[in-house]
Amino acid sequence: MRQRRLAALAMAAALAVTSAGCTVERHWGGGSKAGGGGKAKVGLVTKTDTNPYFVELRAAAKAAAEANGAEFSALAGQFDGDNDGQVRAIENLMQQGANTILITPSSSTGVLDAIDRARKAGVLVIALDTATEPDTAVDATFATDNFEAGRQQGAYVKAALAGKPPKLFMVDGTAGSTVDTQRHTGFLKGIGLTDASPEIKGKTPANGDQSLAQQGVENLLQRTTDINAVYTMNEPMGRGTYAALQARGLVNQLVMGSIDGGCEGVKNVRDGQYAATVMQFPKKMAEQGVLAAIEYAKTGKKPSGFVNTGSAVITDKPIPGVESQDTKWGLENCWGTK
């Protein structure tokens, strides 16, 4: 009877993971000690498991865990914005015995209850890449300062216009998301505009997707082609925007920037698809998160506050007054397939 009961429980646990709509890297048994004197059992929850940025984040976290003798498990939502999937992932990791959970929240508020339950259970929770609202919902955040990354892009585009008034398209990400809002607002600060400025000739959301960006910009171009500047929230959307502009023969009349710093994006800059991108460093976020998890498991010491992992403008068209690196440096320091 005891063996049948244990078998039933094991099957129920397996079904719970399968039905969660999450992808699994690896998992362990439960019952770990939360913090102090135990082995680090690190769980990672990303927005998706297909976006190259989160693939890099997961690979870096796994490598850091293995190099330091920590156990590691990775789960992800099924799509960007899958808050329910991320909540189930947090619950699964707690059941598996994680004493630290690293998370890139799809929504800055959508997983707060699950995070709160984890922290009350003694689990260290660190946000990577994307901050929660409020930021005190997690123990610490290791991320790009996305407002600053947007500001850097805006400052570059403004300088590249060389005094010409901007005629701007804005290709945004997922409406309401923290990263989208911070980058959008930072760009406007850098270029010296507001959302109400008449210099903005059109906006389109594209949810971080290349094809949606192309379609959105094609629609904007039905209204006007009199533009000289384009903001894109990330590099896949930059590629989609470039395709739409190239089809209209407009790429040589404008300055376009982006944010990410993936190796493909750096090559896009090198090849002239857009003038500049702002590089992030996901490997640094992941490694610092795992090291904090190991320290917590050993001593119970928790990190706190926001840790800026940096950003850098990448361009082969440097402009005085805007600090930047060229694409050769970019390809040496980018993330993804080189």
Side-chain angles (χ1 to χ4, degrees):
M1 179 66 71
R2 173 178 168 80
Q3 289 179 334
R4 285 199 298 271
R5 186 181 298 114
L6 290 173
L9 288 171
M11 181 173 292
L15 287 172
V17 173
T18 303
S19 64
C22 301
T23 52
V24 182
E25 178 81 17
R26 176 188 163 199
H27 65 85
W28 55 77
S32 67
K33 189 176 180 180
K39 183 174 183 178
K41 295 185 176 182
V42 185
L44 173 67
V45 181
T46 52
K47 297 178 184 180
T48 72
D49 68 345
T50 55
N51 183 304
Y53 183 85
F54 298 119
V55 171
E56 178 77 8
L57 194 76
R58 185 175 68 239
K62 182 179 180 182
E66 290 177 347
N68 289 278
E71 296 186 37
F72 179 77
S73 178
L75 302 173
Q78 292 182 307
F79 53 88
D80 196 337
D82 182 13
N83 295 313
D84 290 342
Q86 289 200 316
V87 168
R88 291 190 293 266
I90 292 169
E91 292 169 348
N92 285 335
L93 290 169
M94 290 175 65
Q95 291 169 4
Q96 293 172 24
N99 45 34
T100 293
I101 294 176
L102 312 175
I103 182 167
T104 60
S106 285
S107 164
S108 59
T109 59
V111 293
L112 296 190
D113 286 345
I115 288 174
D116 184 58
R117 290 194 296 274
R119 293 180 71 190
K120 286 178 177 175
V123 178
L124 171 67
V125 182
I126 297 173
L128 301 182
D129 178 70
T130 304
T132 55
E133 292 181 5
D135 55 8
T136 53
V138 292
D139 292 289
T141 301
F142 298 159
T144 305
D145 182 336
N146 282 294
F147 179 89
E148 174 60 14
R151 189 205 63 77
Q152 288 173 293
Q153 184 190 156
Y156 180 88
V157 171
K158 180 179 181 178
L161 288 173
K164 298 176 186 175
K167 301 173 183 178
L168 176 68
F169 277 176
M170 300 194 74
V171 186
D172 291 307
T174 302
S177 75
T178 305
V179 171
D180 177 70
T181 300
Q182 291 175 342
R183 293 183 183 181
H184 175 105
T185 306
F187 178 88
L188 291 177
K189 176 71 173 179
I191 201 171
L193 302 175
T194 71
D195 274 313
S197 296
E199 290 89 346
I200 300 175
K201 304 303 180 182
K203 301 177 187 177
T204 184
N207 296 349
D209 184 82
Q210 181 170 334
S211 61
L212 289 178
Q214 181 173 348
Q215 294 166 18
V217 174
E218 287 170 350
N219 291 337
L220 292 179
L221 291 171
Q222 297 294 324
R223 305 175 199 169
T224 182
T225 59
D226 185 21
I227 57 170
N228 62 8
V230 180
Y231 158 81
T232 62
M233 196 277 285
N234 71 7
E235 289 166 356
M237 295 194 302
R239 287 186 280 274
T241 298
Y242 174 80
L245 295 169
Q246 185 184 44
R248 290 293 199 99
L250 299 175
V251 292
N252 294 324
Q253 75 176 42
L254 54 83
V255 180
M256 181 163 69
S258 197
I259 301 174
D260 266 346
C263 296
E264 186 175 0
V266 174
K267 291 174 185 176
N268 294 153
V269 173
R270 181 196 63 189
D271 297 341
Q273 291 191 27
Y274 31 91
T277 192
V278 181
M279 179 176 286
Q280 306 181 86
F281 301 97
K283 183 178 179 182
K284 186 184 294 186
M285 298 175 200
E287 290 174 345
Q288 291 184 0
V290 169
L291 291 176
I294 292 167
E295 178 68 19
Y296 176 61
K298 288 180 179 178
T299 69
K301 181 181 178 181
K302 295 182 178 182
S304 62
F306 180 87
V307 179
N308 182 12
T309 51
S311 55
V313 175
I314 307 298
T315 184
D316 286 331
K317 299 176 180 178
I319 297 174
V322 179
E323 186 176 350
S324 65
Q325 301 286 347
D326 62 18
T327 57
K328 181 177 182 296
W329 185 95
L331 287 171
E332 291 170 352
N333 291 276
C334 62
W335 50 267
T337 304
K338 297 188 179 183

